[in-house]
Amino acid sequence: MSPNLIAHINKFTPLTDEEAAAISASIKNISIKKKQFLLQPGETCRANYFVSKGVMRLYFINKNGQEQITMFGIENWWITDYSSLETGSPSNYYLQAIEDSEITSLNKKAMDELLIKVPKMERYFRLILQRAFTATMRRLEYFRDQSDEERYRHFVSLFPGFVQRIPQYMLASYLGFTPQFLSKIRAKKV
Amino acid sequence: MSPNLIAHINKFTPLTDEEAAAISASIKNISIKKKQFLLQPGETCRANYFVSKGVMRLYFINKNGQEQITMFGIENWWITDYSSLETGSPSNYYLQAIEDSEITSLNKKAMDELLIKVPKMERYFRLILQRAFTATMRRLEYFRDQSDEERYRHFVSLFPGFVQRIPQYMLASYLGFTPQFLSKIRAKKV
């Protein structure tokens, strides 16, 4: 069972009991500890991960040797390296828990079968991906059009609770500036 | 009829003749002239647009008063403002033809009905959006991790033909630097 995932799908496209059972039979619930990895560079990504509880981050080491966070996965978000998952090529990313987390894992083979068994899942993932795409386009615009400080203030206004949950250096890595700069902005606010 | 769109869908999920006919009945083919708009700020985006022939661009005016191109739509790409399309709120974008173009338009109501009539379209759009999302995540990384010159050379290596088709200032606007900088890089290459 994964009540959170079933509830989430129901919000987008209501499921029958049979469909919910087929979904529950396709997934695997895993508990992972803070700092544990679900994926590391060189491995092929084998699953899509739904965060039931906790926070995940997807990052890579950039050419300056720094961690660059490309995505956070909080409650009710899917997180994976779609490129590696789809093509079977090795990933360049780390997928790591920032807190102890409850994850619902849907591996590629199970997902392919589930999409045939429960076609509503096509709709669900289409809607999820449409939101993710729109949000990423928006984020790209912010990166180009906002100053570092504007980007920070805007992010805090959108996700005030989340900002409290993650280490400052990770927020800086996600927003694209140094932890020092972030400290400076925060100090200014106080 | 829209042979290009039907062929494109068939690549992702093979259609029966009946499904192809239902899709053809849902769409509208339009010819638009270079510089013509399909969407302007303040209007609500009412359709998703498939480029059969030509090139479209999606852009907005940024806070410095400059055109900022967020997306190009070339042959076999869909282009729209998903945010306005989905929520019904007014768009901030211009959607404009860069060349005389042949566009297949699928309006929101027709799309909603088509997704029920031909559920394979859910699969098609899911796969399209998954690619678009992955490409946008990658693009966001390039913006953060590559120098302007690296970003330019990388883009040219990916889309050599496309670079020849669009005005230099639009390429600069898409890649996030000034036309002057682009001229300098190009001169260096020669």
Coordinates of all heavy atoms in Angstrom, one line a residue, chain A residues 60 62-64 68-71 81-83 86 93 111 115 119 121-123 125-127 129-130 132-134 136-141 143-147 150 172-176, chain B residues 60 62-64 68-71 81-83 86 93 111 115 121-123 125-127 129-130 132-134 136-141 143-147 150 172-176:
Chain A
F60 N 24.5 16.9 -9.5 CA 25.7 16.3 -10.2 C 26.9 17.2 -9.8 O 26.7 18.3 -9.1 CB 25.5 16.3 -11.7 CG 25.4 17.7 -12.4 CD1 26.5 18.2 -13.0 CD2 24.2 18.4 -12.4 CE1 26.4 19.5 -13.6 CE2 24.1 19.6 -13.0 CZ 25.2 20.2 -13.6
N62 N 29.6 19.6 -10.9 CA 29.9 20.4 -12.1 C 31.4 20.5 -12.4 O 32.2 20.0 -11.7 CB 29.1 21.8 -12.1 CG 29.7 22.7 -11.0 OD1 30.9 22.5 -10.6 ND2 29.0 23.7 -10.7
K63 N 31.7 21.2 -13.5 CA 33.1 21.2 -13.9 C 34.0 22.0 -13.0 O 35.2 21.8 -13.0 CB 33.2 21.8 -15.3 CG 32.7 23.2 -15.4 CD 32.8 23.8 -16.8 CE 32.2 25.2 -16.7 NZ 32.1 25.9 -18.0
N64 N 33.4 22.7 -12.1 CA 34.2 23.4 -11.0 C 34.3 22.5 -9.8 O 34.9 22.9 -8.7 CB 33.6 24.7 -10.6 CG 33.5 25.7 -11.8 OD1 34.4 25.7 -12.6 ND2 32.4 26.4 -11.9
Q68 N 25.9 20.6 -7.9 CA 24.9 21.5 -8.5 C 23.6 20.7 -8.4 O 23.4 19.7 -9.1 CB 25.3 21.8 -9.9 CG 24.5 22.9 -10.5 CD 25.0 23.4 -11.9 OE1 26.2 23.7 -12.0 NE2 24.2 23.4 -12.9
I69 N 22.7 21.3 -7.6 CA 21.4 20.6 -7.4 C 20.4 21.1 -8.5 O 20.2 22.3 -8.8 CB 20.8 21.0 -6.0 CG1 21.7 20.5 -4.9 CG2 19.4 20.5 -5.9 CD1 21.3 20.8 -3.5
T70 N 19.9 20.1 -9.2 CA 19.0 20.4 -10.3 C 17.5 20.3 -9.9 O 16.7 20.9 -10.5 CB 19.2 19.5 -11.5 OG1 19.0 18.1 -11.1 CG2 20.7 19.6 -12.0
M71 N 17.3 19.5 -8.9 CA 15.9 19.2 -8.5 C 15.8 18.8 -7.0 O 16.7 18.1 -6.6 CB 15.3 18.1 -9.3 CG 13.8 18.2 -9.6 SD 13.2 16.7 -10.4 CE 14.1 16.6 -11.9
D81 N 16.0 10.5 -12.8 CA 16.8 10.9 -14.0 C 16.1 10.3 -15.2 O 16.4 9.2 -15.6 CB 18.2 10.5 -13.9 CG 19.0 10.8 -15.1 OD1 18.4 11.4 -16.1 OD2 20.2 10.4 -15.2
Y82 N 15.1 11.1 -15.8 CA 14.3 10.6 -16.9 C 15.2 10.1 -18.0 O 14.9 9.2 -18.8 CB 13.3 11.6 -17.4 CG 12.0 11.7 -16.5 CD1 11.8 12.7 -15.7 CD2 11.1 10.7 -16.6 CE1 10.6 12.8 -14.9 CE2 9.9 10.7 -15.9 CZ 9.7 11.8 -15.0 OH 8.5 11.8 -14.3
S83 N 16.3 10.9 -18.2 CA 17.1 10.6 -19.4 C 17.7 9.2 -19.3 O 17.6 8.4 -20.2 CB 18.2 11.6 -19.5 OG 19.1 11.3 -20.5
E86 N 15.0 6.4 -19.4 CA 14.3 6.2 -20.7 C 15.3 5.5 -21.6 O 14.9 4.5 -22.3 CB 13.9 7.5 -21.3 CG 12.8 7.5 -22.2 CD 11.6 6.7 -21.7 OE1 11.1 6.9 -20.5 OE2 11.1 5.9 -22.5
Y93 N 24.0 11.6 -12.4 CA 23.5 12.2 -11.2 C 23.6 11.4 -9.9 O 23.6 10.2 -10.0 CB 22.0 12.6 -11.4 CG 21.7 13.5 -12.5 CD1 21.6 13.1 -13.8 CD2 21.7 14.9 -12.3 CE1 21.4 14.0 -14.8 CE2 21.5 15.8 -13.3 CZ 21.3 15.4 -14.6 OH 21.1 16.3 -15.6
M111 N 6.4 -0.1 -14.5 CA 5.7 1.1 -15.0 C 5.2 0.8 -16.4 O 4.0 1.1 -16.7 CB 6.6 2.3 -15.0 CG 6.0 3.5 -15.7 SD 6.7 5.1 -15.2 CE 6.0 6.2 -16.4
L115 N 1.2 0.9 -17.2 CA 0.6 1.8 -18.2 C -0.4 1.1 -19.1 O -1.3 1.7 -19.6 CB 1.7 2.6 -19.0 CG 2.5 3.6 -18.2 CD1 3.7 4.0 -18.9 CD2 1.6 4.8 -17.9
P119 N -4.5 2.4 -18.1 CA -4.2 3.5 -19.0 C -4.4 4.9 -18.3 O -3.8 5.8 -18.8 CB -5.2 3.3 -20.1 CG -5.6 1.8 -20.1 CD -5.5 1.5 -18.6
M121 N -3.0 5.8 -15.9 CA -1.7 6.3 -15.4 C -1.0 7.1 -16.5 O -0.1 7.9 -16.2 CB -0.8 5.1 -15.0 CG -1.3 4.4 -13.8 SD -1.3 5.4 -12.3 CE 0.4 5.4 -11.9
E122 N -1.3 6.9 -17.8 CA -0.8 7.7 -18.8 C -1.2 9.2 -18.6 O -0.4 10.1 -18.7 CB -1.3 7.3 -20.2 CG -0.8 5.9 -20.7 CD 0.6 5.9 -21.2 OE1 1.3 7.0 -21.1 OE2 1.0 4.9 -21.8
R123 N -2.5 9.3 -18.3 CA -3.1 10.6 -18.1 C -2.4 11.3 -16.8 O -2.0 12.4 -16.9 CB -4.6 10.5 -17.8 CG -5.2 11.9 -17.6 CD -6.7 11.7 -17.3 NE -7.4 13.0 -17.2 CZ -7.8 13.7 -18.2 NH1 -7.5 13.3 -19.5 NH2 -8.4 14.9 -18.1
F125 N 0.5 10.7 -15.5 CA 1.9 11.1 -15.7 C 2.0 12.3 -16.7 O 2.9 13.1 -16.7 CB 2.8 9.9 -16.2 CG 3.2 9.1 -15.0 CD1 2.8 7.8 -14.9 CD2 4.1 9.6 -14.1 CE1 3.2 7.0 -13.8 CE2 4.5 8.8 -13.0 CZ 4.1 7.5 -12.8
R126 N 1.0 12.3 -17.7 CA 1.0 13.4 -18.6 C 0.8 14.7 -17.8 O 1.5 15.7 -18.1 CB -0.1 13.2 -19.7 CG -0.1 14.5 -20.6 CD -1.2 14.5 -21.5 NE -2.6 14.4 -21.0 CZ -3.4 15.4 -20.6 NH1 -2.9 16.7 -20.7 NH2 -4.6 15.2 -20.2
L127 N -0.1 14.7 -16.9 CA -0.5 15.9 -16.2 C 0.7 16.3 -15.3 O 1.0 17.5 -15.1 CB -1.8 15.7 -15.4 CG -3.0 15.6 -16.3 CD1 -4.2 15.1 -15.5 CD2 -3.3 17.0 -16.9
L129 N 3.9 15.6 -15.7 CA 5.0 16.0 -16.6 C 4.7 17.4 -17.1 O 5.6 18.2 -17.3 CB 5.3 15.0 -17.7 CG 6.1 13.8 -17.2 CD1 6.0 12.7 -18.1 CD2 7.6 14.2 -17.0
Q130 N 3.4 17.7 -17.4 CA 3.1 19.0 -17.9 C 3.4 20.1 -16.9 O 3.9 21.1 -17.2 CB 1.6 19.0 -18.3 CG 1.2 20.2 -19.1 CD -0.2 20.0 -19.7 OE1 -0.5 19.1 -20.4 NE2 -1.1 20.9 -19.3
A132 N 5.6 19.7 -14.4 CA 7.0 19.8 -14.2 C 7.7 20.6 -15.3 O 8.6 21.4 -15.1 CB 7.6 18.4 -14.1
F133 N 7.2 20.4 -16.5 CA 7.8 21.1 -17.7 C 7.5 22.6 -17.5 O 8.4 23.4 -17.7 CB 7.2 20.5 -19.0 CG 7.5 21.3 -20.2 CD1 8.9 21.5 -20.6 CD2 6.6 22.0 -20.9 CE1 9.2 22.2 -21.7 CE2 6.9 22.7 -22.1 CZ 8.2 22.8 -22.5
T134 N 6.3 22.9 -17.2 CA 5.9 24.4 -17.1 C 6.8 25.0 -15.9 O 7.3 26.1 -16.1 CB 4.4 24.5 -16.8 OG1 3.7 23.8 -17.8 CG2 4.0 25.9 -16.7
T136 N 9.7 24.1 -14.9 CA 11.1 24.2 -15.2 C 11.3 25.3 -16.2 O 12.3 26.0 -16.2 CB 11.6 22.8 -15.8 OG1 11.3 21.8 -14.9 CG2 13.1 22.9 -16.0
M137 N 10.4 25.5 -17.1 CA 10.5 26.7 -18.1 C 10.5 28.0 -17.3 O 11.3 28.9 -17.6 CB 9.3 26.7 -19.0 CG 9.3 25.6 -20.1 SD 10.7 25.8 -21.3 CE 10.3 27.3 -22.1
R138 N 9.6 28.0 -16.3 CA 9.5 29.2 -15.5 C 10.8 29.4 -14.7 O 11.4 30.6 -14.6 CB 8.3 29.0 -14.5 CG 7.8 30.2 -13.8 CD 7.3 31.3 -14.7 NE 6.4 30.9 -15.7 CZ 5.1 30.9 -15.6 NH1 4.5 31.3 -14.6 NH2 4.3 30.5 -16.7
R139 N 11.4 28.3 -14.2 CA 12.6 28.4 -13.4 C 13.8 28.9 -14.3 O 14.6 29.7 -13.9 CB 12.9 27.0 -12.9 CG 13.8 27.0 -11.7 CD 13.9 25.6 -11.1 NE 15.3 25.4 -10.7 CZ 15.9 24.2 -10.8 NH1 15.3 23.1 -11.2 NH2 17.2 24.1 -10.4
L140 N 13.8 28.4 -15.5 CA 14.8 28.9 -16.5 C 14.7 30.4 -16.7 O 15.7 31.1 -16.8 CB 14.6 28.1 -17.8 CG 15.6 28.3 -18.9 CD1 17.0 27.9 -18.5 CD2 15.1 27.4 -20.1
E141 N 13.5 30.9 -16.8 CA 13.3 32.3 -17.0 C 13.8 33.1 -15.8 O 14.4 34.1 -15.9 CB 11.8 32.6 -17.2 CG 11.3 32.2 -18.6 CD 9.8 32.3 -18.7 OE1 9.2 33.0 -17.9 OE2 9.3 31.7 -19.7
F143 N 16.1 32.2 -13.8 CA 17.6 32.2 -13.8 C 18.1 33.3 -14.6 O 19.2 33.9 -14.4 CB 18.1 30.9 -14.2 CG 18.6 30.0 -13.1 CD1 17.8 29.0 -12.6 CD2 19.8 30.3 -12.5 CE1 18.3 28.2 -11.5 CE2 20.2 29.6 -11.4 CZ 19.5 28.5 -10.9
R144 N 17.4 33.6 -15.7 CA 17.9 34.6 -16.7 C 17.5 36.0 -16.3 O 18.2 36.9 -16.6 CB 17.4 34.2 -18.1 CG 18.0 32.9 -18.6 CD 17.5 32.6 -20.0 NE 17.8 33.7 -20.9 CZ 17.4 33.8 -22.1 NH1 16.7 32.8 -22.6 NH2 17.7 34.8 -22.9
D145 N 16.3 36.1 -15.7 CA 15.7 37.4 -15.7 C 15.7 38.0 -14.3 O 15.5 39.2 -14.1 CB 14.2 37.3 -16.1 CG 13.7 38.6 -16.6 OD1 14.4 39.4 -17.2 OD2 12.5 38.8 -16.4
Q146 N 16.0 37.2 -13.3 CA 16.0 37.8 -11.9 C 17.5 37.9 -11.4 O 18.3 37.1 -11.7 CB 15.2 36.9 -11.0 CG 13.7 36.8 -11.2 CD 13.0 35.9 -10.2 OE1 13.5 34.9 -9.7 NE2 11.7 36.3 -9.9
S147 N 17.7 38.8 -10.5 CA 18.9 38.9 -9.8 C 19.0 37.8 -8.8 O 17.9 37.2 -8.5 CB 19.1 40.3 -9.1 OG 18.2 40.3 -8.0
E150 N 16.6 38.6 -5.9 CA 15.2 38.4 -6.3 C 14.8 37.0 -6.4 O 13.7 36.6 -6.0 CB 14.9 39.0 -7.7 CG 14.9 40.6 -7.8 CD 14.9 41.1 -9.2 OE1 15.4 40.4 -10.1 OE2 14.4 42.2 -9.4
A172 N 21.5 27.3 -1.7 CA 22.4 28.1 -2.5 C 22.7 27.4 -3.8 O 22.7 27.9 -4.9 CB 23.6 28.5 -1.8
S173 N 23.0 26.1 -3.7 CA 23.4 25.3 -4.9 C 22.2 25.2 -5.8 O 22.4 25.2 -7.1 CB 23.8 23.9 -4.4 OG 23.9 23.0 -5.5
Y174 N 21.0 25.1 -5.3 CA 19.8 25.0 -6.2 C 19.5 26.3 -6.9 O 19.2 26.4 -8.1 CB 18.6 24.6 -5.4 CG 17.3 24.5 -6.1 CD1 17.0 23.4 -6.9 CD2 16.4 25.5 -6.1 CE1 15.8 23.2 -7.6 CE2 15.2 25.4 -6.8 CZ 14.9 24.3 -7.5 OH 13.7 24.2 -8.2
L175 N 19.7 27.4 -6.2 CA 19.4 28.7 -6.7 C 20.5 29.3 -7.5 O 20.4 30.3 -8.2 CB 18.9 29.7 -5.6 CG 17.6 29.3 -4.9 CD1 17.3 30.3 -3.8 CD2 16.4 29.4 -5.9
G176 N 21.7 28.7 -7.4 CA 22.8 29.1 -8.3 C 23.7 30.2 -7.7 O 24.2 31.0 -8.5
Chain B
F60 N 8.9 36.6 -24.3 CA 8.2 37.6 -23.5 C 9.2 38.8 -23.4 O 10.4 38.8 -23.8 CB 7.9 37.1 -22.1 CG 9.0 36.8 -21.2 CD1 9.4 37.7 -20.2 CD2 9.7 35.6 -21.4 CE1 10.5 37.4 -19.4 CE2 10.8 35.3 -20.5 CZ 11.2 36.2 -19.6
N62 N 11.3 41.1 -21.2 CA 11.8 41.0 -19.8 C 11.9 42.4 -19.2 O 11.5 43.4 -19.8 CB 13.1 40.2 -19.7 CG 14.3 41.0 -20.4 OD1 14.2 42.2 -20.6 ND2 15.3 40.3 -20.7
K63 N 12.3 42.4 -17.9 CA 12.2 43.7 -17.2 C 13.1 44.7 -17.7 O 13.0 45.9 -17.4 CB 12.4 43.4 -15.7 CG 13.8 42.8 -15.4 CD 14.0 42.6 -14.0 CE 15.4 42.0 -13.8 NZ 15.8 41.5 -12.5
N64 N 14.1 44.3 -18.5 CA 15.0 45.3 -19.2 C 14.4 45.8 -20.5 O 15.1 46.5 -21.3 CB 16.4 44.7 -19.4 CG 17.0 44.3 -18.1 OD1 16.9 45.0 -17.1 ND2 17.7 43.2 -18.2
Q68 N 12.9 38.1 -24.7 CA 13.6 37.0 -24.2 C 12.9 35.7 -24.7 O 11.8 35.4 -24.3 CB 13.6 37.0 -22.6 CG 14.5 35.9 -22.0 CD 14.7 36.2 -20.5 OE1 15.0 37.3 -20.1 NE2 14.5 35.2 -19.7
I69 N 13.6 35.0 -25.6 CA 13.0 33.8 -26.2 C 13.2 32.6 -25.3 O 14.3 32.3 -24.8 CB 13.7 33.5 -27.6 CG1 13.4 34.7 -28.5 CG2 13.2 32.2 -28.2 CD1 14.1 34.6 -29.9
T70 N 12.0 32.0 -25.0 CA 12.1 30.8 -24.1 C 12.0 29.5 -24.8 O 12.4 28.5 -24.3 CB 10.9 30.9 -23.0 OG1 9.7 30.8 -23.8 CG2 11.0 32.1 -22.2
M71 N 11.5 29.5 -26.0 CA 11.3 28.3 -26.8 C 11.3 28.6 -28.3 O 10.7 29.6 -28.7 CB 10.0 27.6 -26.3 CG 10.0 26.1 -26.4 SD 8.4 25.4 -26.2 CE 8.0 26.0 -24.5
D81 N 1.8 28.0 -24.6 CA 2.0 28.5 -23.2 C 1.1 27.6 -22.4 O -0.1 27.8 -22.2 CB 1.6 30.0 -23.1 CG 1.6 30.4 -21.6 OD1 2.0 29.6 -20.7 OD2 1.3 31.6 -21.4
Y82 N 1.7 26.5 -21.9 CA 0.9 25.5 -21.1 C 0.3 26.1 -19.9 O -0.8 25.7 -19.5 CB 1.8 24.3 -20.7 CG 2.1 23.3 -21.7 CD1 3.3 23.1 -22.4 CD2 1.1 22.4 -22.1 CE1 3.5 22.2 -23.3 CE2 1.3 21.4 -23.1 CZ 2.5 21.3 -23.7 OH 2.7 20.4 -24.7
S83 N 0.9 27.0 -19.3 CA 0.4 27.6 -18.1 C -0.9 28.3 -18.4 O -1.9 28.1 -17.7 CB 1.4 28.6 -17.5 OG 0.9 29.2 -16.4
E86 N -3.7 25.8 -19.5 CA -4.2 24.9 -18.5 C -5.1 25.7 -17.5 O -6.1 25.2 -17.1 CB -3.0 24.3 -17.7 CG -3.3 23.0 -17.1 CD -3.9 22.0 -18.0 OE1 -3.5 21.8 -19.2 OE2 -4.9 21.3 -17.6
Y93 N 3.1 35.8 -22.9 CA 4.0 35.5 -24.0 C 3.5 36.0 -25.4 O 2.3 36.1 -25.6 CB 4.2 34.0 -24.1 CG 4.9 33.5 -22.9 CD1 4.2 33.0 -21.8 CD2 6.3 33.4 -22.8 CE1 4.9 32.5 -20.6 CE2 7.0 32.9 -21.7 CZ 6.2 32.5 -20.6 OH 6.9 32.0 -19.5
M111 N -9.0 19.0 -27.6 CA -7.9 18.1 -27.0 C -8.5 17.3 -25.8 O -8.3 16.1 -25.8 CB -6.7 18.9 -26.5 CG -5.7 18.0 -25.8 SD -4.1 18.8 -25.7 CE -3.3 17.7 -24.5
L115 N -8.7 13.2 -26.0 CA -8.0 12.4 -25.0 C -8.9 11.3 -24.5 O -8.5 10.2 -24.1 CB -7.4 13.2 -23.9 CG -6.2 14.1 -24.2 CD1 -6.0 15.1 -23.1 CD2 -5.0 13.3 -24.4
M121 N -3.6 9.1 -27.1 CA -3.1 10.5 -27.2 C -2.5 10.9 -25.8 O -1.6 11.8 -25.7 CB -4.2 11.5 -27.6 CG -4.6 11.4 -29.1 SD -3.2 11.6 -30.2 CE -3.1 13.4 -30.3
E122 N -3.0 10.3 -24.7 CA -2.4 10.5 -23.4 C -1.0 10.1 -23.4 O -0.1 10.7 -22.9 CB -3.2 9.8 -22.3 CG -4.6 10.2 -22.1 CD -4.7 11.5 -21.2 OE1 -3.7 12.1 -20.9 OE2 -5.9 11.8 -20.8
R123 N -0.8 8.9 -24.0 CA 0.5 8.3 -24.0 C 1.5 9.2 -24.9 O 2.6 9.5 -24.5 CB 0.5 6.9 -24.6 CG 1.8 6.2 -24.7 CD 1.7 4.8 -25.3 NE 3.0 4.1 -25.3 CZ 3.4 3.5 -24.2 NH1 2.8 3.5 -23.1 NH2 4.6 2.8 -24.3
F125 N 1.2 12.4 -25.6 CA 1.6 13.6 -25.0 C 2.5 13.4 -23.7 O 3.3 14.2 -23.4 CB 0.3 14.5 -24.6 CG -0.2 15.2 -25.8 CD1 -1.4 14.9 -26.3 CD2 0.5 16.2 -26.4 CE1 -1.9 15.6 -27.4 CE2 0.0 16.9 -27.5 CZ -1.2 16.6 -28.0
R126 N 2.3 12.3 -23.0 CA 3.2 12.0 -21.9 C 4.6 11.9 -22.4 O 5.5 12.4 -21.8 CB 2.8 10.7 -21.2 CG 3.8 10.3 -20.1 CD 3.6 9.0 -19.4 NE 3.5 7.9 -20.3 CZ 4.6 7.1 -20.6 NH1 5.8 7.5 -20.2 NH2 4.5 6.0 -21.4
L127 N 4.8 11.1 -23.5 CA 6.1 10.9 -24.0 C 6.7 12.2 -24.5 O 7.9 12.5 -24.3 CB 6.1 9.8 -25.1 CG 5.8 8.4 -24.6 CD1 5.5 7.5 -25.7 CD2 7.0 7.9 -23.7
L129 N 6.0 15.2 -23.5 CA 6.3 16.1 -22.4 C 7.5 15.6 -21.6 O 8.2 16.4 -21.0 CB 5.0 16.2 -21.5 CG 4.0 17.2 -22.0 CD1 2.6 16.9 -21.4 CD2 4.4 18.7 -21.8
Q130 N 7.6 14.3 -21.5 CA 8.8 13.8 -20.8 C 10.1 14.2 -21.5 O 11.0 14.6 -20.9 CB 8.7 12.3 -20.8 CG 9.7 11.6 -19.9 CD 9.4 10.1 -19.7 OE1 8.3 9.7 -19.3 NE2 10.3 9.3 -20.1
A132 N 10.3 16.9 -23.5 CA 10.4 18.4 -23.3 C 11.0 18.7 -21.9 O 11.8 19.6 -21.8 CB 9.1 19.0 -23.6
F133 N 10.5 18.0 -20.9 CA 10.9 18.3 -19.5 C 12.4 18.0 -19.4 O 13.2 18.8 -18.9 CB 10.1 17.4 -18.6 CG 10.6 17.5 -17.1 CD1 10.6 18.7 -16.4 CD2 11.0 16.3 -16.5 CE1 11.1 18.7 -15.1 CE2 11.5 16.3 -15.2 CZ 11.5 17.5 -14.5
T134 N 12.8 16.8 -19.9 CA 14.2 16.4 -19.8 C 15.1 17.4 -20.5 O 16.2 17.8 -20.0 CB 14.4 15.0 -20.4 OG1 13.5 14.1 -19.7 CG2 15.8 14.5 -20.2
T136 N 14.5 20.5 -21.1 CA 14.5 21.8 -20.4 C 15.4 21.8 -19.1 O 16.1 22.7 -18.8 CB 13.1 22.2 -20.0 OG1 12.3 22.2 -21.2 CG2 13.1 23.7 -19.5
M137 N 15.4 20.6 -18.5 CA 16.3 20.4 -17.3 C 17.7 20.5 -17.8 O 18.6 21.2 -17.1 CB 16.1 19.1 -16.7 CG 14.8 18.9 -15.8 SD 14.7 20.0 -14.4 CE 16.0 19.3 -13.4
R138 N 18.0 19.9 -18.9 CA 19.4 19.9 -19.4 C 19.8 21.4 -19.8 O 20.9 21.8 -19.5 CB 19.4 19.0 -20.7 CG 20.7 18.6 -21.2 CD 21.6 17.8 -20.2 NE 20.9 16.7 -19.5 CZ 20.9 15.4 -19.9 NH1 21.5 15.1 -21.0 NH2 20.3 14.5 -19.2
R139 N 18.8 22.1 -20.4 CA 19.1 23.4 -20.8 C 19.4 24.3 -19.6 O 20.3 25.2 -19.6 CB 17.9 23.9 -21.6 CG 18.2 25.1 -22.5 CD 16.9 25.4 -23.3 NE 16.8 26.9 -23.4 CZ 15.6 27.5 -23.5 NH1 14.5 26.8 -23.5 NH2 15.6 28.8 -23.6
L140 N 18.6 24.1 -18.5 CA 18.8 24.8 -17.3 C 20.3 24.6 -16.8 O 21.0 25.5 -16.3 CB 17.8 24.4 -16.3 CG 17.7 25.1 -14.9 CD1 17.5 26.6 -15.1 CD2 16.6 24.5 -14.1
E141 N 20.7 23.4 -16.8 CA 22.1 23.0 -16.4 C 23.1 23.8 -17.3 O 24.1 24.3 -16.7 CB 22.3 21.5 -16.5 CG 21.6 20.8 -15.3 CD 21.7 19.3 -15.5 OE1 22.5 18.8 -16.3 OE2 20.9 18.6 -14.9
F143 N 22.8 26.5 -18.8 CA 22.8 27.9 -18.5 C 23.7 28.2 -17.3 O 24.3 29.2 -17.2 CB 21.4 28.4 -18.2 CG 20.8 29.2 -19.4 CD1 19.9 28.6 -20.2 CD2 21.2 30.5 -19.6 CE1 19.4 29.3 -21.3 CE2 20.8 31.2 -20.7 CZ 19.9 30.6 -21.5
R144 N 23.6 27.3 -16.3 CA 24.4 27.5 -15.1 C 25.8 27.1 -15.2 O 26.7 27.6 -14.5 CB 23.7 26.7 -14.0 CG 22.3 27.2 -13.7 CD 21.7 26.5 -12.5 NE 22.6 26.4 -11.4 CZ 22.4 25.8 -10.3 NH1 21.3 25.1 -10.2 NH2 23.2 25.8 -9.2
D145 N 26.1 26.0 -16.0 CA 27.4 25.4 -15.9 C 28.3 25.7 -17.1 O 29.5 25.4 -17.0 CB 27.1 23.8 -15.9 CG 28.3 23.1 -15.2 OD1 29.0 23.7 -14.4 OD2 28.5 22.0 -15.6
Q146 N 27.8 26.2 -18.2 CA 28.6 26.5 -19.4 C 28.8 28.0 -19.5 O 28.0 28.8 -19.2 CB 27.9 26.0 -20.6 CG 27.8 24.5 -20.7 CD 27.2 24.0 -22.0 OE1 26.3 24.7 -22.6 NE2 27.6 22.8 -22.5
S147 N 30.0 28.3 -20.1 CA 30.2 29.7 -20.4 C 29.3 30.1 -21.6 O 28.8 29.1 -22.3 CB 31.7 30.0 -20.7 OG 32.0 29.4 -22.0
E150 N 30.8 28.3 -24.7 CA 30.5 26.9 -24.7 C 29.1 26.6 -25.0 O 28.8 25.7 -25.8 CB 30.8 26.3 -23.3 CG 32.3 26.1 -22.9 CD 32.5 25.8 -21.5 OE1 31.6 26.1 -20.6 OE2 33.5 25.2 -21.1
A172 N 20.8 34.7 -30.1 CA 21.4 35.4 -28.9 C 20.4 35.5 -27.8 O 20.7 35.2 -26.6 CB 22.0 36.7 -29.2
S173 N 19.2 35.8 -28.1 CA 18.1 36.0 -27.1 C 17.8 34.7 -26.5 O 17.5 34.6 -25.2 CB 16.9 36.6 -27.8 OG 15.8 36.5 -26.9
Y174 N 17.8 33.6 -27.3 CA 17.5 32.3 -26.7 C 18.6 31.8 -25.8 O 18.4 31.2 -24.8 CB 17.3 31.3 -27.9 CG 17.0 29.9 -27.5 CD1 15.7 29.5 -27.1 CD2 18.0 28.9 -27.5 CE1 15.5 28.2 -26.7 CE2 17.7 27.6 -27.2 CZ 16.5 27.2 -26.8 OH 16.2 25.9 -26.4
L175 N 19.9 32.0 -26.2 CA 21.0 31.5 -25.5 C 21.4 32.4 -24.3 O 22.2 32.0 -23.5 CB 22.2 31.3 -26.4 CG 22.0 30.1 -27.5 CD1 23.2 30.1 -28.5 CD2 21.9 28.8 -26.8
G176 N 20.8 33.6 -24.3 CA 21.0 34.4 -23.2 C 22.3 35.3 -23.2 O 22.9 35.6 -22.2

